[in-house]
Amino acid sequence: MEALSRPIKQTLVLRPRTSHSDHALLPLRSLKNPKSNLTRTLRSVDAKARTEKHVSTAATIDYSDPGWKEKYQKEFEARFSIPHITDVIHDAVSYPSTFCLKMRTPLSPDFTNGYPTDEEWHGYINNNDRVLLKVIHFSSPTSAGAQCIDPACTWVEQWVHRAGPREKIYFKPEEVKAAIVTCGGLCPGLNDVIRQIVITLEIYGVKQIVGIPFGYRGFSDSSLAEMPLSRTVVQNIHLSGGSLLGVSRGGPTVTEIVDSMEKSGINMLFVLGGNGTHAGANAIHEECRKRRLRVAVVGVPKTIDNDILHMDKTFGFDTAVEEAQRAIYSAYIEAHSAYRGIGIVKLMGRSSGFIAMQASLASGQIDICLIPEVPFNLHGPQGVLSHLKHLLETKGSAVVCVAEGAGQDLLQKTNATDASGNVILGDIGAYIQQETKKFFKEVGVPADVKYIDPTYMIRAGRANASDGILCTVLGQNAVHGAFAGYSGITVGICNTHYVYFPIPEVITEPKVVDPNSRMWHRCLTSTGQPDFI
């Protein structure tokens, strides 16, 4: 929500909910490179969403209008309402839920006795249950990390939909063919989510569950066959890192994906991935609605960088922070054991420095933390290198933690992109290592510089206990959302509660570290570093 992340303005622009026809799909003939059809489509969708975020044709509301708060709340409610099958299929019939933990007898394959339920079981979520998106009432725009809607920091309630099983479902389990796909890069916890989705589907009574191999490309590559999934198959996959289904970037067009789903009879699709993958999931959802298909498309946000809007955290992040401790400790030992030693550790974080910040806080051994959100100078009297010289003179050693997306303005620009359309970043860690060696050689001061890059080691590991719990609940709630008839949604944790978000509201831009937040201030207190500008 742009009003909360940008400087306070005197007027409020209401952005209407995007119509289902806005995300037009690109025809094949308009694409120069057929191999990147899906990537180009997703980038087009994302660009359109960013444009609509900042350019609105809606009326501007003046804060002097006594009714502005009510109008804001109505606009927010409209934006965060979650799509349902009945929006398109008006005569869709609901059924009593087959999910009831008080049932101790297995469901019959043909459900001849109807859909067993226990009306006295209070384990269901009411469709009107909501969770507060923001819980802090800032009294002043100058408060650390303040997110105010108006200059007076008026308290405005903003509610999002609570996740969980509903008493009424919109799919007969025996008619469901569910598919799971994992896209993008690896992330700790992928197998945990896959496992829980399969287990929960079976509890509902679903018999047809398949995995789509190697991301979206599995929908079009004839050499890649669907992988049958069951509790027996997935029982122990969470004990290993990676993805049982494999991952990849890019893929076919959205039209081809939906064609493949229709041909295979898939009417539930669970998509595990980051912002780009979710943009694809939303485009698939829109195409299914356009064709009036009774299909539920549900996302589970997967990003080790923790950069998904509105969510407390995403799975894999806690594991990444924990695993980063090993690299930081190694850098500390190298630096501390050497004569005037400097250890440099590069961690993941393309546009968000959450891993570097949290890992620095957790370790207590970092002297300098550099993240993409905070510009810095390497050279000059106030630069990083001058501070390193000071640290060697006062402490005898130093440890630097840098996020991969930090300091890209210091490196030579490149127009190269990966299969997902992401700009390929320069190696800031190696650059700082080289510049550090060069600097101390020029000033005639000895320095022993060591550089550690644990990137792929971190993301290939299995989830830790904290992420394992998060993955379990996310997987379960993804299935609950699909059976409840919701589509075009993603599941996440917000203020410690599990909620459903409409996908467009979480993919408009990455979540980033607020340099005025208390958490960043805590990191600065821990490292003791100055401003490098």
Side-chain angles (χ1 to χ4, degrees):
M1 187 166 44
E2 64 274 19
L4 299 184
S5 60
R6 291 159 56 188
I8 296 173
K9 296 186 177 181
Q10 296 301 313
T11 56
L12 171 66
V13 177
L14 294 187
R15 178 164 57 89
R17 185 175 178 84
T18 305
S19 67
H20 300 303
S21 61
D22 282 346
H23 296 299
L25 303 176
L26 298 181
L28 180 61
R29 62 180 177 274
S30 69
L31 302 173
K32 295 181 180 179
N33 182 5
K35 293 184 180 180
S36 59
N37 290 342
L38 180 61
T39 297
R40 293 173 181 268
T41 300
L42 303 191
R43 293 173 69 182
S44 175
V45 170
D46 185 51
K48 189 177 183 69
R50 290 197 302 269
T51 300
E52 291 173 350
K53 181 178 177 67
H54 298 291
V55 181
S56 175
T57 57
T60 299
I61 297 179
D62 195 318
Y63 287 119
S64 61
D65 178 0
W68 76 264
K69 181 177 176 180
E70 181 180 355
K71 294 176 182 177
Y72 183 94
Q73 288 176 315
K74 288 182 178 179
E75 185 268 348
F76 179 88
E77 183 178 348
R79 282 172 47 205
F80 280 79
S81 64
I82 50 181
H84 195 270
I85 284 177
T86 54
D87 296 341
V88 174
I89 305 174
H90 305 299
D91 58 350
V93 178
S94 64
Y95 314 94
S97 179
T98 55
F99 181 86
C100 181
L101 298 180
K102 296 189 74 171
M103 297 299 300
R104 290 295 179 264
T105 56
L107 300 175
S108 61
D110 53 2
F111 298 95
T112 54
N113 296 322
Y115 294 86
T117 186
D118 186 341
E119 294 180 359
E120 296 181 357
W121 184 60
H122 300 295
Y124 297 117
I125 300 298
N126 190 292
N127 284 337
N128 294 321
D129 285 356
R130 298 290 188 272
V131 174
L132 269 175
L133 182 64
K134 304 293 180 183
V135 295
I136 299 178
H137 181 187
F138 295 100
S139 61
S140 168
T142 60
S143 296
Q147 296 177 322
C148 298
I149 297 172
D150 71 323
C153 273
T154 302
W155 172 253
V156 179
E157 293 181 353
Q158 301 164 76
W159 301 94
V160 292
H161 293 253
R162 185 183 178 197
R166 267 56 174 176
E167 192 168 3
K168 297 292 183 180
I169 59 178
Y170 285 80
F171 291 88
K172 291 184 177 182
E174 70 271 26
E175 297 176 356
V176 168
K177 181 177 181 182
I180 307 171
V181 61
T182 56
C183 306
L186 290 178
C187 179
L190 280 170
N191 282 334
D192 301 64
V193 178
I194 294 170
R195 179 176 182 269
Q196 280 301 317
I197 289 175
V198 172
I199 290 173
T200 310
L201 284 168
E202 286 198 351
I203 291 176
Y204 270 96
V206 178
K207 301 300 181 183
Q208 296 186 82
I209 310 170
V210 299
I212 306 299
F214 299 106
Y216 285 130
R217 73 175 62 250
F219 283 105
S220 63
D221 192 331
S222 59
S223 66
L224 301 176
E226 294 177 349
M227 180 186 297
L229 299 176
S230 66
R231 183 166 192 148
T232 302
V233 173
V234 304
Q235 185 62 44
N236 295 313
I237 63 172
H238 64 300
L239 302 179
S240 303
S243 169
L244 171 70
L245 306 178
V247 295
S248 72
R249 302 183 187 275
T253 64
V254 173
T255 301
E256 290 172 331
I257 291 174
V258 178
D259 287 343
S260 176
M261 290 172 60
E262 278 198 272
K263 182 178 179 181
S264 300
I266 295 170
N267 53 5
M268 276 190 190
L269 178 63
F270 300 95
V271 182
L272 284 57
N275 277 334
T277 300
H278 270 66
N282 192 60
I284 293 169
H285 155 73
E286 296 290 358
E287 179 67 9
C288 289
R289 289 171 73 93
K290 179 181 175 182
R291 301 186 189 189
R292 299 182 60 81
L293 301 177
R294 193 186 181 99
V295 174
V297 181
V298 179
V300 181
K302 177 230 67 173
T303 167
I304 205 169
D305 293 345
N306 194 37
D307 60 353
I308 301 291
L309 281 177
H310 306 305
M311 298 186 185
D312 292 358
K313 63 179 178 179
T314 51
F315 74 83
F317 174 69
D318 278 353
T319 304
V321 172
E322 184 174 308
E323 289 298 313
Q325 301 306 299
R326 301 183 186 184
I328 291 174
Y329 181 69
S330 297
Y332 169 77
I333 292 299
E334 287 285 351
H336 189 68
S337 301
Y339 175 64
R340 300 177 69 87
I342 297 175
I344 301 172
V345 179
K346 186 184 77 172
L347 300 177
M348 298 183 74
R350 290 184 57 86
S351 56
S352 304
F354 289 104
I355 295 179
M357 176 179 68
Q358 298 278 41
S360 297
L361 272 168
S363 72
Q365 296 166 330
I366 297 298
D367 298 292
I368 299 175
C369 178
L370 304 174
I371 61 176
E373 297 87 342
V374 181
F376 62 90
N377 289 326
L378 205 55
H379 299 277
Q382 305 299 322
V384 172
L385 297 176
S386 292
H387 187 59
L388 279 175
K389 183 173 180 291
H390 168 74
L391 290 171
L392 293 187
E393 292 170 351
T394 56
K395 291 181 57 181
S397 64
V399 182
V400 180
C401 178
V402 56
E404 62 179 322
Q408 291 299 305
D409 57 311
L410 305 176
L411 307 176
Q412 185 175 355
K413 294 291 186 297
T414 173
N415 294 322
T417 59
D418 61 21
S420 293
N422 300 313
V423 174
I424 297 177
L425 302 177
D427 192 339
I428 185 63
Y431 177 77
I432 291 177
Q433 176 196 29
Q434 295 166 2
E435 291 299 305
T436 301
K437 289 181 176 180
K438 180 180 177 182
F439 170 80
F440 282 100
K441 183 177 181 180
E442 289 177 350
V443 298
V445 176
D448 190 346
V449 185
K450 297 293 191 300
Y451 173 48
I452 298 176
D453 180 357
T455 301
Y456 292 100
M457 293 176 62
I458 288 177
R459 75 176 197 172
R462 61 170 292 193
N464 65 7
S466 175
D467 273 328
I469 295 171
L470 177 60
C471 292
T472 295
V473 184
L474 290 176
Q476 292 175 358
N477 280 318
V479 176
H480 294 322
F483 264 101
Y486 297 118
S487 181
I489 64 169
T490 190
V491 59
I493 185 170
C494 178
N495 294 320
T496 73
H497 294 279
Y498 291 88
V499 301
Y500 296 131
F501 290 107
I503 291 177
E505 291 301 326
V506 300
I507 63 173
T508 53
E509 59 188 4
K511 181 178 74 172
V512 296
V513 174
D514 179 1
N516 191 44
S517 67
R518 285 295 300 126
M519 189 59 74
W520 178 243
H521 291 173
R522 293 175 188 129
C523 185
L524 296 180
T525 301
S526 176
T527 63
Q529 69 191 64
D531 292 332
F532 298 117
I533 55 175

